[in-house]
């Protein structure tokens, strides 16, 4: 028989691994093949594979937090608390063996529930718009690059500017680029409509988008542009959706999506645009284009500030996408000087953060310095999202820095008349010849990158080694991850061990162990660390049962990870779940800003080893600190 188990607790530390250890031991005693997946603070370990699940005779979920059961559909599943995994592992396994366990079948949700959940997750208008944009962008990129290549490689300088000879192959390539541009607005409108009404919305959306882009239908030279395309897409989508909801005879239903819905909605959208919507929207769009083209001085700088800030503030999110869409639309209208500042702003956050990690390594952990290399590379190719890991970890310092850099770069690009013929950013577009005033492009980008790098490094604190008051070199909290921790004794010592604790209450013992940390120079403030310990105890007792307590806390007052161990042979009340007094007490101190999870791995090993009754008895019998250290050597 093969049994699988999943263990998890809200905090994801000790109980998770204690339950796993006891289930495995019980399985061995009962001659059952058992595999346990743990969902702890350091993530999922020993993950159950599809093959494991297919071969399993039953599943035990011993968890005090939500564990997804979707992968166990059709299997016999027991769902219980993590304490049962610790205290009743044999009973759980025997219940699976008896076969008296129901098959798991998920509850079916109504259509209304699914729709409501979907609505709560995202704004539908934004979702539909971004669906259209995602299909439109490749057309702009291809069109812009083909035109840029044709001008760069086939163009000839004339008094009137760069001209491509009519009989040159580059003229044909330029035409291909213009053809790609021609599809931009119909594709935008078509796929907005598809997002709303599925495939029946495609034809009316693209027809509406074509009419919006071609002003000859309603007497306009310029057309309604991207604003008209967006309106056409939403109009076509919702009209097609409304027609889909009309009840028709069953005989007509099969042809509704391919004949009636596209034809009727196309006629409605087309006529509305020709006679009602087209001309007014075209006038608005023409006015907007003229205004942007005529922006000079303070007004153009204000626009650059707004666009630069929008690009950087959410690194690929809604603000970023709106600014990007705006610049892309201006490319189609022949106004490249809007996309130029955007193209500069796009690359500054990732390159700036990458440079920051290179020029001042003391500010960053090793894993952050590695992320900086990747971020720098992503920036070269115009991928703003490269800065997201840094912003997520330290938003208050990183986001203002990247916004400031992007704003500065965008403003310099606007003043320098930098243009970009491609809906993309970063040095890659300049290298491919898509940028006007290349020198100013690089000046703007370099200045913006330097602003970001120096600003974020000014705001950040050092994480490298600093000399302590006693002259010893102490690790800064953030650097603790560099410490190789493979066993418990890596972060404890004989000086951190008490074989006969004096305290008679939980708080007395806590004070005694904290005093031990302080005497070894591990703490900056005893009071601050004690508050962290008590805050953790307030969430739930760290008395794990079986005479074990593992109080632990993260605090800025901790200089480096450490473990203190104490024995209270007569026991002390720790409000343990099984009612037993704590006799073996391990206190873990961790720096608050420690980015690694090594201490959690130690706690996992500790929890597992303490499930061994013989090991616990061996600890209780030690007569000296050195003897205790020898026993603790086994925890690795």
């Amino acid at each position: 028989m093969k049994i699988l188990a999943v263990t998890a607790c809200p905090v994801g530390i000790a109980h998770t691994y204690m339950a796993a250890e006891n289930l495995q031991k019980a399985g061995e005693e009962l001659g059952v093949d058992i595999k346990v997946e743990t969902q702890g603070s350091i993530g999922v370990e020993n993950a159950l594979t599809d093959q494991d699940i297919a071969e399993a005779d039953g599943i035990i979920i011993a968890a005090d937090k939500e564990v997804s059961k979707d992968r166990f559909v059709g299997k016999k599943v027991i769902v219980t608390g993590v304490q049962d995994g610790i205290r009743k592992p044999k009973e759980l396994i025997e219940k699976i063996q008896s076969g008296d366990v129901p098959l798991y079948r998920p509850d079916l949700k109504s259509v209304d529930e699914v729709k409501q959940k979907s609505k709560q997750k995202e704004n539908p208008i934004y979702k539909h718009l971004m669906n259209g944009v995602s299909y439109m962008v490749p057309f702009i990129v291809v069109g812009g690059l083909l035109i840029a290549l044709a001008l760069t490689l086939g163009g000839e300088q004339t008094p009137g500017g760069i001209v491509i000879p009519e009989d040159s192959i580059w003229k044909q390539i330029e035409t291909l680029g213009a053809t790609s541009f021609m599809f931009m607005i119909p594709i935008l409108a078509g796929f907005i409509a598809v997002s709303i009404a599925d495939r029946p919305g495609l034809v009316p959306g693209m027809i509406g988008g074509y009419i919006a882009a071609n002003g000859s239908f309603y007497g306009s030279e310029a057309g309604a542009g991207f604003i008209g395309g967006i309106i056409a897409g939403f109009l076509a989508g919702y009209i097609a959706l409304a027609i889909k909801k009309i009840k028709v005879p069953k005989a007509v239903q099969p042809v509704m999506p391919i004949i009636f819905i596209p034809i009727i909605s196309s006629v409605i959208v087309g006529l509305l645009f020709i006679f009602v919507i087209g001309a007014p929207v075209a006038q608005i769009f023409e006015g907007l284009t003229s205004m942007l083209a005529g922006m000079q001085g303070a007004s153009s700088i204000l626009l650059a500030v707004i666009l630069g800030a929008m690009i950087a503030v959410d690194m690929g999110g809604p603000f970023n996408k709106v600014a990007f869409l705006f610049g892309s639309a201006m490319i189609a209208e022949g106004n490249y000087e809007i996309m130029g500042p955007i193209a500069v702003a796009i690359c500054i956050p990732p390159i700036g953060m990458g440079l920051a990690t290179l020029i001042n390594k003391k500010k960053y952990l090793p894993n952050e310095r590695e992320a900086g290399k990747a971020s720098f590379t992503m920036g070269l190719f115009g991928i703003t999202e490269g800065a997201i890991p840094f912003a997520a970890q330290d938003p208050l310092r990183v986001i203002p820095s990247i916004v400031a850099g992007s704003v500065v770069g965008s403003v310099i690009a606007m003043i320098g008349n930098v243009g970009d013929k491609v809906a993309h950013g970063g040095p890659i577009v300049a290298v491919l010849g898509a940028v006007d005033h290349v020198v100013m492009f690089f000046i703007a980008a370099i200045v913006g990158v330097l602003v970001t790098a120096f600003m974020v490094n000014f705001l950040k604190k050092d994480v490298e080694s600093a000399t302590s008051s006693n002259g010893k070199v102490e690790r800064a909290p953030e650097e603790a991850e560099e410490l190789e921790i493979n066993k418990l004794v890596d972060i404890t010592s004989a000086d951190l061990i008490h074989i006969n604790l004096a305290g008679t209450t939980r708080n007395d013992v806590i004070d005694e162990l904290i005093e031990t940390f302080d005497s070894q120079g591990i703490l900056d403030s005893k009071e601050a660390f004690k508050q962290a310990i008590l805050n953790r105890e307030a969430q739930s007792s760290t008395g794990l049962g079986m005479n074990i307590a593992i109080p632990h806390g993260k605090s800025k007052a901790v200089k480096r990870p450490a473990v203190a161990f104490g024995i209270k042979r007569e026991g002390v009340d720790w409000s343990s779940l099984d009612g037993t007094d704590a006799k073996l007490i391990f206190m873990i101190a961790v720096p608050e800003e420690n980015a690694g999870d090594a201490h959690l791995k130690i706690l996992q090993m500790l929890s597992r080893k303490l499930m061994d009754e013989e090991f616990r008895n061996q600890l209780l019998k030690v007569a000296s600190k050195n003897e205790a250290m020898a026993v603790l050597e086994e925890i690795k």
Side-chain angles (χ1 to χ4, degrees):
M1 173 170 278
K2 182 172 184 177
I3 294 175
L4 305 179
V6 180
T7 64
C9 65
V11 180
I13 303 180
H15 293 90
T16 301
Y17 305 108
M18 292 168 71
E21 186 70 14
N22 282 3
L23 283 165
Q24 287 175 334
K25 282 187 176 182
E28 291 172 6
E29 290 176 15
L30 295 171
V32 172
D33 181 10
I34 185 166
K35 178 178 179 179
V36 185
E37 172 184 293
T38 56
Q39 296 186 8
S41 291
I42 57 176
V44 174
E45 295 179 283
N46 202 33
L48 305 179
T49 66
D50 291 341
Q51 184 176 348
D52 288 332
I53 296 168
E55 296 172 352
D57 296 296
I59 318 288
I60 298 169
I61 298 177
D64 288 340
K65 70 174 187 177
E66 182 62 29
V67 172
S68 175
K69 299 184 284 293
D70 293 345
R71 52 184 169 157
F72 304 136
V73 173
K75 291 290 181 179
K76 295 179 178 181
V77 178
I78 295 175
V79 180
T80 187
V82 72
Q83 281 298 318
D84 284 347
I86 295 172
R87 300 167 64 182
K88 304 176 182 177
K90 285 186 179 180
E91 292 178 29
L92 295 174
I93 293 172
E94 288 169 348
K95 192 169 183 180
I96 293 282
Q97 288 177 316
S98 71
D100 186 23
V101 179
L103 296 177
Y104 171 67
R105 293 185 176 84
D107 296 330
L108 293 176
K109 296 180 180 178
S110 69
V111 174
D112 288 340
E113 286 176 329
V114 173
K115 286 183 177 179
Q116 186 63 30
K117 188 174 182 181
S118 178
K119 286 179 182 178
Q120 291 171 352
K121 282 186 177 179
E122 61 183 327
N123 184 319
I125 300 298
Y126 178 73
K127 172 196 164 192
H128 303 322
L129 176 62
M130 286 302 108
N131 189 67
V133 170
S134 66
Y135 283 97
M136 174 192 75
V137 166
F139 287 85
I140 307 175
V141 172
V142 170
L145 284 175
L146 288 177
I147 292 172
L149 287 170
L151 289 169
T152 303
L153 301 177
E156 296 178 357
Q157 291 287 350
T158 70
I162 300 177
V163 175
I164 301 174
E166 291 291 332
D167 58 350
S168 167
I169 188 173
W170 297 109
K171 188 65 178 179
Q172 304 305 317
I173 291 175
E174 182 192 36
T175 303
L176 289 174
T179 303
S180 183
F181 269 145
M182 182 185 71
F183 283 105
M184 183 187 86
I185 293 177
I187 289 292
L188 171 67
F191 282 95
I192 287 174
V194 167
S195 180
I196 296 168
D198 211 340
R199 283 200 283 182
L202 181 62
V203 173
M206 292 194 70
I207 290 174
Y210 181 76
I211 295 172
N214 193 334
S216 62
F217 283 94
Y218 39 86
S220 170
E221 292 184 7
F226 83 99
I227 295 176
I230 292 171
I231 293 173
F234 280 101
L235 193 63
Y238 284 115
I239 289 173
L241 186 63
I243 297 171
K244 281 175 69 175
K245 294 180 179 179
I246 297 174
K247 292 183 179 180
V248 296
K250 286 186 178 181
V252 181
Q253 286 178 357
V255 294
M256 283 292 288
I258 57 174
I259 298 178
F260 290 106
I261 295 175
I263 289 176
I264 297 170
S265 50
S266 294
V267 169
I268 294 172
V269 172
L271 293 178
L272 279 173
F273 240 93
I274 291 170
F275 294 108
V276 181
I277 300 171
V281 174
Q283 291 174 3
I284 294 171
F285 188 70
E286 286 174 24
L288 175 63
T289 304
S290 300
M291 180 189 74
L292 292 172
M295 272 188 163
Q296 294 181 356
S299 59
S300 63
I301 291 173
L302 177 61
L303 177 64
V305 169
I306 294 169
L307 292 175
M310 290 178 71
I311 287 294
V313 72
D314 59 358
M315 297 152 287
F319 286 105
N320 177 287
K321 290 291 191 295
V322 169
F324 180 80
L325 174 60
F326 180 59
S328 303
M330 291 299 100
I331 290 176
E333 299 303 314
N335 186 341
Y336 306 130
E337 291 185 6
I338 301 298
M339 193 65 202
I342 292 172
V344 170
I346 282 171
C347 69
I348 287 172
I351 296 179
M353 291 309 304
L355 179 63
T357 64
L358 291 173
I359 62 178
N360 198 338
K361 295 182 179 181
K362 292 189 297 182
K363 304 281 184 179
Y364 302 92
L365 295 168
N367 63 328
E368 290 177 314
R369 297 199 285 268
E370 286 302 313
K373 296 174 186 176
S375 178
F376 192 96
T377 304
M378 292 170 76
L380 297 178
F381 291 91
I383 303 173
T384 317
E385 288 85 346
I388 287 177
F390 298 97
Q393 185 168 316
D394 191 4
L396 295 179
R397 295 183 181 92
V398 171
I399 292 178
S401 302
I402 62 177
V403 168
S406 288
V407 166
V408 169
S410 179
V411 168
I412 294 173
M414 183 68 81
I415 294 172
N417 298 314
V418 173
D420 181 11
K421 301 180 181 69
V422 179
H424 201 65
I428 185 65
V429 296
V431 171
L432 292 174
V435 170
D436 297 328
H437 301 284
V438 175
V439 173
M440 284 305 300
F441 174 93
F442 281 106
I443 290 173
I446 290 169
V447 173
V449 164
L450 291 175
V451 168
T452 289
F454 283 105
M455 182 173 171
V456 75
N457 282 347
F458 174 77
L459 295 174
K460 275 182 168 290
K461 297 178 181 178
D462 288 359
V463 298
E464 286 289 342
S465 297
T467 304
S468 68
S469 58
N470 60 9
K472 294 181 180 179
V473 174
E474 301 288 352
R475 291 177 181 266
E478 295 90 344
E479 197 188 6
E481 189 180 17
E482 292 188 25
L483 180 64
E484 190 72 22
I485 303 175
N486 296 311
K487 50 189 178 180
L488 185 67
V489 294
D490 289 335
I491 52 174
T492 193
S493 66
D495 293 330
L496 293 174
I497 293 176
H498 284 272
I499 60 169
N500 288 296
L501 287 166
T504 57
T505 68
R506 185 195 69 172
N507 284 4
D508 289 342
V509 170
I510 286 174
D511 287 337
E512 198 170 345
L513 293 175
I514 289 176
E515 190 65 43
T516 302
F517 279 140
D518 190 57
S519 67
Q520 297 303 309
I522 292 165
L523 304 177
D524 281 329
S525 168
K526 293 187 290 183
E527 294 75 17
F529 180 62
K530 181 177 180 179
Q531 191 57 53
I533 290 287
L534 295 180
N535 288 344
R536 173 60 189 87
E537 292 292 338
Q539 295 176 27
S540 62
S541 173
T542 57
L544 305 181
M546 294 171 286
N547 304 123
I548 303 164
I550 310 181
H552 49 276
K554 287 188 176 185
S555 173
K556 292 179 181 178
V558 180
K559 297 178 183 178
R560 60 180 175 83
V563 173
F565 170 56
I567 301 173
K568 184 66 176 176
R569 300 180 195 279
E570 58 270 34
V572 61
D573 182 11
W574 214 282
S575 301
S576 300
L577 294 172
D578 65 353
T580 60
D581 288 342
K583 297 181 180 180
L584 302 173
I585 298 103
F586 292 84
M587 179 176 284
I588 301 178
V590 186
E592 186 175 74
E593 297 179 1
N594 190 285
D597 55 20
H599 63 286
L600 294 176
K601 292 179 182 177
I602 287 294
L603 198 143
Q604 170 194 344
M605 289 186 247
L606 182 62
S607 301
R608 286 183 180 275
K609 189 64 177 176
L610 289 172
M611 292 303 95
D612 185 340
E613 186 177 1
E614 184 178 339
F615 180 78
R616 297 198 303 271
N617 290 334
Q618 193 177 355
L619 271 178
L620 284 169
K621 292 176 183 177
V622 298
S624 68
K625 293 183 177 184
N626 289 335
E627 190 178 340
M629 280 292 290
V631 176
L632 295 177
E633 280 276 0
E634 297 181 30
I635 302 178
K636 53 189 174 180

